[in-house]
Amino acid sequence: MKSIRSKLVFTLSIAITGLVLGILLATDIAVDSWIDNEFNRGLHSKAGMLMTLVHEDDQGIGFNHPGEFMPEFDGRVEPEYFQMWTDEGVLIRSPSLDLFPVKSLKFQELKLGEAKIMTTQLPDGRDGRIIYTRFQPQFDPHSHYSSYDGVSKPNFKTLTLAYAASSEEVDFILWLIDIIFVVTTVTVIVFIRLFVRKSVDSSLAPLNKLNRDISKLSIADKNAIIVVKEPVKELQPIVNSLNAFIQENRQLYFREKRLTSDIAHELKTPIAELINMTEVAIRFPDEKEFEADFKPEVLKISQRLKSIVSNLLLLHKYSNEALPKQDACDLNQVIMRILEKCDLERVEFALQEDIPAIVSNLFALESIITNLVNNAKQYSPEKSVVTVSTQLNDEGKLQFSVTNELKLSLTDEDISQLFDPLWQKDSARTSNDNFGLGLSIAKALSRAIGAELHVSLSGQNIIFSLIIA
């Protein structure tokens, strides 16, 4: 099972660690390169200074060695070494070379103006670096070279200089920086891991609390909703959707609870009547008058039970089922054929003649029309008129409507419950012929054929409209 927490911790840890490591590595390389370049630059500078101390005149090549200003070449402080060669051999070397068994630096062939830095082991055994460079010494302006006119080439001598110094301190600093880098890297990785985990846990805390609140909710509690004390922008839409879902399911729960109670009530009355009549028949077996009424009453009650059960089964069957629409028909003709079997004294027709033919489910259409008209006749005053009409609405869809005057006023709450199974305005349920299933069946069948069944009030009239797609 995937974990959001683990994935967030892993992804953020890798991303942040990679970024920090990249910065640290780039910094380490930059600092190492800078220190290394600075040391090499120091070698070049020292070699250049030594080259300025060499001059050539009529007597030859001379070297001014200010030993009092350069104690490092005398071996007294951190010995450093230099040596110069001419084409004939060694010209001069630093006094510090005389302090150790190895009294000479290695020679390196170079071209004029070329310089090369190499790692080496110093005569005193330390690790170091040596710079070789080949150059021409400066000449005395008062010597015969001063008459050089640029055409005839004088015989300038060239020298090779080797200057060596210890690199152990620099290497130690570089190693120290690398160790600090490694330690910092490990510390940063551990810190990032802990920090990211703590941050993710803190960020997911509202989600965990929401989960705990949901687990404590009871759908039977009418006032139970999810409330986030400290609203989180990302969670608020989820909370709103959950509350809407809970409210919808709570309504379904209470509706099913009411439906169960209503079914029990509807079945209890005829069953009680059958029991009472049977007990009377058993108690008074010789009552001829009772015997004459007993069988018709039993039949009537049984038919009522059958009607209730049949309607409930019909409602259950088509509640979540789509019916095939394969019957081509004219809606006006269907209406007239169905209603001609009924009492038409109170029915008034307002059928639009030029409506198009439709393809739908004939059984569903007939059941919806029958239930709507019977409901209108049942719940309207005796001498009032029930209007049945067809027309094309503003969207160009075919609309079938049944309008009747109300016998009892309905509230908005009543309107919202009209299509609930077994709901009746008369809470005492004094009617023996109506069970509150006709409109529910009409609603279920309309959904089954993809139609829309709506109800609206207009003054004292109620209008049921079936919009056929």
Side-chain angles (χ1 to χ4, degrees):
M1 183 183 296
K2 293 183 178 179
S3 170
I4 296 177
R5 177 182 178 277
S6 299
K7 188 173 182 180
L8 281 175
V9 170
F10 177 78
T11 303
L12 291 176
S13 298
I14 292 297
I16 298 176
T17 301
L19 177 63
V20 173
L21 283 183
I23 295 174
L24 290 176
L25 183 61
T27 303
D28 178 70
I29 293 174
V31 172
D32 286 354
S33 299
W34 180 78
I35 294 175
D36 195 65
N37 291 334
E38 285 298 312
F39 183 79
N40 290 339
R41 185 180 299 176
L43 293 178
H44 279 285
S45 298
K46 203 67 166 285
M49 184 190 65
L50 291 173
M51 286 189 289
T52 60
L53 299 178
V54 181
H55 63 276
E56 185 179 2
D57 54 18
D58 294 341
Q59 285 154 29
I61 297 175
F63 180 75
N64 300 324
H65 175 47
E68 64 275 14
F69 300 115
M70 296 183 180
E72 63 271 19
F73 293 120
D74 292 334
R76 288 175 287 179
V77 180
E78 293 290 330
E80 296 179 3
Y81 312 92
F82 73 86
Q83 188 169 337
M84 294 185 189
W85 294 268
T86 63
D87 293 336
E88 289 80 15
V90 177
L91 173 65
I92 191 172
R93 61 185 182 181
S94 63
S96 56
L97 287 171
D98 295 329
L99 301 175
F100 305 99
V102 179
K103 302 183 181 302
S104 179
L105 300 176
K106 292 182 180 180
F107 179 76
Q108 182 72 31
E109 288 286 347
L110 296 173
K111 296 179 182 179
L112 182 63
E114 184 182 1
K116 183 182 293 185
I117 296 177
M118 305 170 61
T119 58
T120 187
Q121 187 176 37
L122 301 180
D124 55 18
R126 294 179 298 165
D127 292 330
R129 297 184 192 179
I130 184 170
I131 180 172
Y132 293 96
T133 182
R134 190 165 181 81
F135 69 100
Q136 287 181 332
Q138 58 183 342
F139 59 89
D140 190 342
H142 300 292
S143 67
H144 66 279
Y145 294 137
S146 61
S147 62
Y148 173 56
D149 57 6
V151 178
S152 60
K153 185 176 181 180
N155 187 21
F156 290 134
K157 291 185 178 182
T158 57
L159 302 178
T160 300
L161 168 66
Y163 164 67
S166 173
S167 63
E168 289 186 346
E169 185 176 354
V170 173
D171 292 339
F172 172 76
I173 294 175
L174 294 177
W175 275 106
L176 182 62
I177 292 175
D178 290 339
I179 292 173
I180 293 174
F181 168 75
V182 172
V183 172
T184 303
T185 299
V186 174
T187 303
V188 166
I189 291 175
V190 173
F191 173 76
I192 289 176
R193 183 73 175 180
L194 296 176
F195 172 76
V196 168
R197 181 175 295 177
K198 184 69 175 177
S199 298
V200 170
D201 289 342
S202 176
S203 299
L204 291 179
L207 187 60
N208 294 329
K209 185 178 183 304
L210 176 62
N211 182 46
R212 291 193 298 270
D213 292 343
I214 293 174
S215 64
K216 296 177 182 178
L217 279 178
S218 173
I219 200 169
D221 186 355
K222 296 183 179 180
N223 299 318
I225 59 172
I226 300 174
V227 178
V228 180
K229 294 183 179 179
E230 297 179 1
V232 180
K233 183 178 180 181
E234 290 76 12
L235 284 184
Q236 197 58 43
I238 298 176
V239 171
N240 295 338
S241 299
L242 282 174
N243 282 330
F245 178 77
I246 291 168
Q247 184 64 24
E248 181 179 355
N249 280 272
R250 182 177 290 125
Q251 291 175 357
L252 291 175
Y253 168 76
F254 286 111
R255 186 176 300 170
E256 292 298 322
K257 187 176 179 181
R258 182 193 59 79
L259 177 60
T260 304
S261 175
D262 291 343
I263 292 174
H265 183 85
E266 291 292 342
L267 296 178
K268 178 181 177 181
T269 301
I271 291 173
E273 290 177 357
L274 286 175
I275 293 173
N276 291 335
M277 292 179 65
T278 304
E279 289 177 346
V280 171
I282 294 172
R283 187 171 182 180
F284 305 101
D286 299 328
E287 287 288 339
K288 294 183 180 181
E289 293 182 3
F290 178 78
E291 185 180 355
D293 296 333
F294 178 76
K295 293 178 182 179
E297 285 296 327
V298 169
L299 179 60
K300 182 179 179 181
I301 295 172
S302 300
Q303 288 176 340
R304 183 184 177 194
L305 280 172
K306 179 184 176 182
S307 178
I308 294 173
V309 173
S310 298
N311 285 329
L312 286 172
L313 290 175
L314 185 66
L315 176 63
H316 177 72
K317 180 178 180 180
Y318 296 111
S319 289
N320 298 296
E321 181 179 347
L323 292 174
K325 297 190 291 184
Q326 300 174 346
D327 303 318
C329 58
D330 185 300
L331 184 59
N332 290 343
Q333 294 180 4
V334 173
I335 294 171
M336 296 304 298
R337 187 181 74 252
I338 295 172
L339 297 184
E340 68 182 2
K341 303 176 184 178
C342 304
D343 180 11
L344 299 180
E345 292 182 1
R346 297 176 52 203
V347 179
E348 182 179 283
F349 296 97
L351 307 179
Q352 184 175 330
E353 295 182 357
D354 56 348
I355 60 172
I358 58 172
V359 177
S360 187
N361 187 283
L362 194 57
F363 161 75
L365 280 177
E366 292 175 348
S367 299
I368 294 170
I369 294 171
T370 301
N371 279 300
L372 291 180
V373 173
N374 288 339
N375 178 81
K377 293 170 67 176
Q378 180 67 33
Y379 294 102
S380 60
E382 292 184 1
K383 295 183 180 181
S384 62
V385 176
V386 175
T387 303
V388 177
S389 63
T390 57
Q391 62 178 357
L392 293 176
N393 63 10
D394 295 337
E395 298 177 358
K397 294 181 180 180
L398 184 57
Q399 179 174 314
F400 163 72
S401 302
V402 177
T403 306
N404 65 275
E405 184 181 346
L406 287 170
K407 185 185 295 185
L408 298 174
S409 298
L410 297 177
T411 64
D412 292 339
E413 184 180 356
D414 295 334
I415 292 294
S416 65
Q417 300 181 80
L418 277 178
F419 297 113
D420 290 350
L422 296 175
W423 181 85
Q424 296 183 49
K425 176 69 173 176
D426 180 13
S427 59
R429 301 178 180 272
T430 56
S431 174
N432 293 324
D433 301 321
N434 299 286
F435 318 114
L437 289 171
L439 292 180
S440 300
I441 293 173
K443 185 71 172 180
L445 289 172
S446 65
R447 284 196 295 260
I449 61 173
E452 299 177 15
L453 182 57
H454 302 290
V455 59
S456 60
L457 293 176
S458 177
Q460 290 297 318
N461 293 334
I462 186 169
I463 305 169
F464 290 90
S465 301
L466 179 70
I467 301 174
I468 303 173

